[in-house]
Amino acid sequence: MGLGKKTIDDIDVKGKRVLVRVDFNVPLKDGVITNDNRIVAALPTIKKLIADGGRVILCSHLGKPKGPDPKFSLKPAADRLAELLGKPVVFADDDTVVGDKARAAVAAMQDGDVVVLQNTRFRPEETKNEPAFSKDLASLAEVYVDDAFGSSHRAHCSTVGVTELVPVTAVGYLMGKEIEYLGNAVNSPERPFVAILGGAKIADKLLVIDNLLSKVDVLIIGGGMAFTFLKAQGHAIGSSMVDDEKLDYCREMLKKAEEKGVKLLLPVDTVYAGSFPDPIDAKIETGSCGLEIPDGKMGLDIGPESRKLFAEAIRDAKTVVWNGPMGVFENPVLNAGTLAVAEAMAASGATTVIGGGDSAAAVMQLGLADKMTHISTGGGASLEYLEGKELPGIAAIQNS
């Protein structure tokens, strides 16, 4: 595994209390979980610790509550976990997270038992990484395991503070997989290495573009962010999304790509319509960027020639990392570009890594998730990883 961190295969947990930071930040509607992928993703780590005789104490955040709020209780997640494990799971419903109920539940544990703590963000100290809450969490455990990649870019009590107070720390299988696939893809890729960036905002991906230009053979830019690059090249982009403050940055990146011998591919045609959001049966038109997007029209997806161009680059790749859709993929009339990229990746035979967030939602929605090598569970965390940043939640874990 990359980064040389201790994993759960390196530690002895028999008879020990193991605090595991999981990502149970699941979508809820009227108290019912609408997608349990994150709970399912944590099962291999939880099952391994149970099988090894650990006393497993799980903690996670859910949403952004401002203090204790029953709408953000982790009880639905605890109940769903019990169903998936086929064994009882105790939910410690303390507003203070580590209160009398949690302490009693932990004191009563036998080897292989599972306790779920209440939402870590019920404590205001959590997001400020303040010592009082870190001490409370650490007081429950002899071992700490981090399996929540999606929160690893945040220095919170449950991801960083607690690691300084527990004698043994390690990463779980899910975190290990993220480090292995994202880390290897970016730092020691099999070449040709193609990175695809999409989505709306250039500002979110400024550092990613800069970092990737030192690593990739081909950089594909689509989605809303492509229009700032196209405008920087002198194309008319109608009323398409643009970040005028970043035009010089785009010119600088185009120059850097040329200097480094990186092929930087931008759309050569675009699908546009009168406004967004359009109804599904909106009048969609396609024009080449050479012919320009007319005034009052907005680019909403890449066109057929761009789909071919991008698919060809992906077909020749050995490693592909993708973060951000090519258009408004939620609208079936505007998902052709995103679908073309996903299908090209699925057929490429390359190591394919999806960088969480909207790209992950897109491949799932398009039914191609099982054709990808790895789908990251962390949108923001995977972006920061692609920027080349050290993530505090990973850095805090002991080295192997």
Side-chain angles (χ1 to χ4, degrees):
M1 192 194 80
L3 292 197
K5 293 296 174 182
K6 249 186 208 171
T7 77
I8 52 174
D9 291 326
D10 302 325
I11 58 176
D12 173 23
V13 298
K14 183 156 179 59
K16 292 179 180 162
R17 290 169 281 115
V18 186
L19 179 69
V20 187
R21 177 54 159 98
V22 287
D23 183 1
F24 283 0
N25 185 25
V26 291
L28 291 170
K29 190 172 183 190
D30 303 322
V32 177
I33 296 171
T34 57
N35 182 329
D36 67 358
N37 284 348
R38 285 178 168 164
I39 301 173
V40 171
L43 290 175
T45 291
I46 296 167
K47 286 178 174 174
K48 161 75 173 166
L49 294 170
I50 290 170
D52 287 356
R55 302 178 180 195
V56 181
I57 306 152
L58 303 174
C59 68
S60 175
H61 77 286
L62 174 64
K64 295 179 178 175
K66 305 273 187 260
D69 182 340
K71 284 206 304 288
F72 294 99
S73 172
L74 273 176
K75 185 169 192 312
D79 292 345
R80 180 65 185 131
L81 177 64
E83 289 169 13
L84 290 166
L85 289 174
K87 65 175 280 164
V89 168
V90 175
F91 178 60
D93 190 5
D94 284 311
D95 281 353
T96 58
V97 187
V98 183
D100 293 342
K101 290 176 189 169
R103 293 192 185 283
V106 170
M109 290 179 92
Q110 302 295 313
D111 295 359
D113 283 354
V114 181
V115 168
V116 174
L117 302 180
Q118 185 52 284
N119 189 339
T120 56
R121 289 197 183 164
F122 280 14
R123 288 281 291 266
E125 304 103 309
E126 160 74 328
T127 54
K128 298 169 191 159
N129 195 19
E130 288 177 355
F133 185 38
S134 298
K135 281 178 189 158
D136 281 350
L137 288 169
S139 71
L140 299 177
E142 298 152 277
V143 176
Y144 171 82
V145 171
D146 194 343
D147 210 28
F149 178 74
S151 299
S152 61
H153 59 317
R154 304 275 181 248
H156 291 174
C157 295
S158 65
T159 57
V160 171
V162 66
T163 63
E164 294 158 16
L165 305 165
V166 176
V168 178
T169 62
V171 297
Y173 288 141
L174 184 60
M175 181 77 102
K177 206 174 159 200
E178 296 278 10
I179 293 170
E180 181 185 347
Y181 281 112
L182 268 176
N184 286 349
V186 175
N187 298 318
S188 50
E190 200 182 338
R191 296 186 180 277
F193 174 23
V194 175
I196 307 155
L197 295 177
K201 295 176 187 160
I202 280 218
D204 293 350
K205 300 198 170 98
L206 286 176
L207 297 170
V208 181
I209 296 167
D210 203 4
N211 188 47
L212 286 176
L213 282 176
S214 303
K215 298 177 185 289
V216 301
D217 301 296
V218 180
L219 179 61
I220 295 172
I221 294 178
M225 61 190 294
F227 295 109
T228 305
F229 276 90
L230 292 169
K231 185 171 179 180
Q233 287 183 323
H235 295 293
I237 58 165
S239 58
S240 304
M241 176 177 284
V242 67
D243 186 343
D244 283 318
E245 288 178 13
K246 301 293 183 291
L247 292 169
D248 284 342
Y249 171 84
C250 290
R251 291 182 192 108
E252 196 185 312
M253 290 302 106
L254 289 161
K255 186 165 176 266
K256 181 173 177 175
E258 200 178 333
E259 285 165 359
K260 290 196 168 286
V262 171
K263 194 183 278 187
L264 195 157
L265 299 180
L266 291 164
V268 292
D269 59 351
T270 185
V271 172
Y272 54 81
S275 64
F276 173 74
D278 264 299
I280 282 173
D281 59 354
K283 179 162 169 46
I284 300 292
E285 302 166 74
T286 303
S288 82
C289 291
L291 297 172
E292 315 308 337
I293 299 176
D295 286 347
K297 303 284 186 180
M298 175 182 266
L300 298 170
D301 193 12
I302 58 171
E305 292 306 315
S306 303
R307 287 171 224 151
K308 266 190 243 167
L309 178 71
F310 292 0
E312 275 167 23
I314 293 163
R315 192 185 58 216
D316 297 335
K318 288 282 189 285
T319 305
V320 187
V321 174
W322 178 24
N323 189 296
M326 297 293 102
V328 188
F329 75 94
E330 307 90 334
N331 181 331
V333 172
L334 298 167
N335 71 5
T338 301
L339 180 61
V341 164
E343 285 177 336
M345 286 177 71
S348 67
T351 297
T352 50
V353 180
I354 309 293
D358 283 343
S359 317
V363 292
M364 286 171 190
Q365 188 179 308
L366 298 168
L368 291 165
D370 61 339
K371 301 279 197 297
M372 302 300 161
T373 310
H374 178 64
I375 298 178
S376 178
T377 52
S382 62
L383 260 187
E384 291 199 14
Y385 210 101
L386 293 176
E387 283 173 21
K389 285 185 182 172
E390 182 175 64
L391 305 187
I394 296 175
I397 298 297
Q398 287 163 350
N399 294 326
S400 54

